[in-house]
Every structure is written in structure tokens, then in C-alpha cells.
Amino acid sequence: HEVSPRFPQANAVFREGYLSVIAVPLLSENEPWGVMLVDSRKPNAYCPDDVEVIERIGAQIAGPIANAQLHSQLTKESTEKQALADLGRLVSSTLDMDEIYVEFADKLREIIPLDHSSIAIADPESGTMSYPFQHSRGTGREVNTPYPVEGSITQRVMRAGRGEVFDLGNRLQVLKSFPSLVRAYDSGDRSAVSVPLISNGRAFGALHIAAWDEHAYGSEELALAEQAAHHIEGAVANSRLHVSLERE
């Protein structure tokens, strides 16, 4: 069966064996926000009367569905704002990030899928980086052990000055495109988001978040991770300074 070039997405429907389709728009306050589909495996299964019936049903359910979606979105946004506010209060409560990093990661998990997270700190003089803060270890990275920063995701987001999402579905592709993430892939990670930590206009490290599920992160999670990073970057910088002064 050939499908009009105007509806290329319908090819997938026909490949599944559906030969007749009714599609009606769902409107809220006269604005389209979705589509209601009715499919049949029979050819020429529907007539204009059927379309009219589906249109009436669509008109009846569009408002309640739109309201439910709006309620869900508002609840989600409220939860995110509360969690970010809690993060701000948490990191401002101490100079020692070691004391609160696990709690920080647990709070972050409320709004971002997270199986483990870490903070990497770069040392420009030695060309290395270390991971002083980790949550749910098992990533193959030892705490406070130096690793080369060259070619790392930490270096990548620090140089870019912005965060990035990484999908790690295929080991060969990871090895080719993001070789520094092979260790994470072998530990079970299939999705990652990394954002730079910036203090006084200079990137000094990165917040890394990872999940075992594929395609766990998108633009929303990236934006939330960046907001979380903004909350902690000053505290992390001060914490490292505090540790350095104590050692002296």
C-alpha cells in the first residue's frame, strides 16, 4: 500500500497491518494540542459518519485530557522548583561537600533519573582531574585518584561552557565517539548528562549524572542538571579551597 507523501508517518501504521485510519485533532480553547487515532485492519473500514462520531468523541475528551496534562505539568514544575530550592539550602549549610554530597544526589534523583553521579575537579597544572565526590559508586573511578583530563567528557563540557547529553547504547559507538566513557559503559551506564562547574567565570570541573536506562535524558533533564550545577559550583569551589587550607 502506498501512502501519500503528505503523511510519511502513516507508513509505520500500514506496515503493522492497519489499512484504515481516522485521525481527528484534539482541541483546547480552539488550539490543537494532539490527535486521536482510530485504526482498523480492514480496508475502507470507515465512512463519513464514522469520522463524525470520532470527532464528537474527541471534542468531549479533549478538554479533560488537556486539564489533566496541565495539572501533571504544574505538579512536575512545582516538584522541580522545590527540589532545586532544597538543593540550594543544603549546599549553603556547610563548607564540607563530603558531608552532604550523598544527600545532594538523593535530592537530585527526585527530579532527574539517576543511578549514580560524581563531581570531577580539573587540575590545569598537572593536566589531571579527580573525583572527590561520588554517589552510588561502581563506575570504575576511584575517589581522589588523578586521571588524565585530556580527551575526557569533563574537558569537553568545560571547554564548551555548557552541558551535554550522551546516549551510550552501543559499545563500539561509544569507543569511537566518546572513548573516555567506555569505562562508564562497561559499568552499566547507558545514558549520561554532564555539565560544567564554573566559578568566577572559569570552568573548574563538571557534574556527571548517569542512568542505566537508554535515552534517559533530554533537554529537560539537561536544563535541570545545569540548574543543579549552578547551585553547587560555588560550594564545591569553596569546599576544595577549605580542604586545601586545612592541609596547609
Side-chain angles (χ1 to χ4, degrees):
H1 295 273
E2 294 295 327
V3 180
S4 169
R6 293 185 301 159
F7 310 111
Q9 299 89 344
N11 282 302
V13 175
F14 285 106
R15 281 196 295 269
E16 293 295 324
Y18 295 100
L19 303 180
S20 301
V21 178
I22 294 177
V24 299
L26 298 176
L27 307 176
S28 178
E29 297 182 353
N30 293 321
E31 290 292 328
W33 59 265
V35 176
M36 179 178 178
L37 297 174
V38 178
D39 306 325
S40 173
R41 297 184 186 276
K42 297 179 180 180
N44 304 312
Y46 304 120
C47 66
D49 288 342
D50 297 320
V51 176
E52 185 177 341
V53 170
I54 299 304
E55 286 178 335
R56 289 202 299 267
I57 294 173
Q60 291 176 352
I61 68 173
I65 293 176
N67 290 337
Q69 288 184 321
L70 176 61
H71 176 73
S72 177
Q73 181 63 28
L74 291 175
T75 300
K76 180 174 178 290
E77 291 176 359
S78 176
T79 300
E80 291 170 353
K81 288 180 181 179
Q82 183 62 52
L84 290 170
D86 290 344
L87 290 179
R89 286 190 290 269
L90 179 64
V91 298
S92 63
S93 66
T94 179
L95 286 175
D96 189 354
M97 278 292 293
D98 285 306
E99 292 181 0
I100 55 96
Y101 185 71
V102 170
E103 189 176 351
F104 164 83
D106 285 339
K107 179 62 65 174
L108 190 59
R109 185 187 279 122
E110 294 180 9
I111 54 176
I112 302 177
L114 184 157
D115 285 302
H116 69 80
S117 66
S118 62
I119 289 178
I121 305 296
D123 181 357
E125 293 185 2
S126 65
T128 64
M129 61 182 177
S130 60
Y131 295 82
F133 310 111
Q134 294 195 57
H135 178 258
S136 298
R137 297 174 187 173
T139 64
R141 299 290 191 185
E142 297 295 328
V143 174
N144 288 322
T145 298
Y147 296 93
V149 72
E150 183 65 31
S152 67
I153 295 301
T154 297
Q155 182 189 58
R156 180 181 175 120
V157 298
M158 285 176 60
R159 284 180 172 176
R162 56 181 175 79
E164 190 171 349
V165 171
F166 303 93
D167 287 320
L168 314 177
N170 181 286
R171 191 179 192 279
L172 290 179
Q173 187 61 40
V174 172
L175 186 61
K176 178 181 178 181
S177 303
F178 314 114
S180 64
L181 290 178
V182 170
R183 187 192 300 263
Y185 179 93
D186 289 341
S187 297
D189 294 349
R190 293 299 178 267
S191 303
V193 58
S194 299
V195 296
L197 297 175
I198 301 172
S199 179
N200 296 322
R202 183 181 67 86
F204 65 91
L207 169 66
H208 302 291
I209 301 169
W212 295 333
D213 293 333
E214 294 184 4
H215 312 300
Y217 304 124
S219 58
E220 285 189 22
E221 289 76 20
L222 175 58
L224 289 170
E226 289 176 334
Q227 292 182 67
H230 292 328
H231 277 292
I232 65 168
E233 51 200 8
V236 173
N238 290 337
S239 177
R240 304 318 295 162
L241 177 61
H242 178 68
V243 170
S244 297
L245 292 176
E246 281 192 336
R247 288 174 178 172
E248 293 177 3

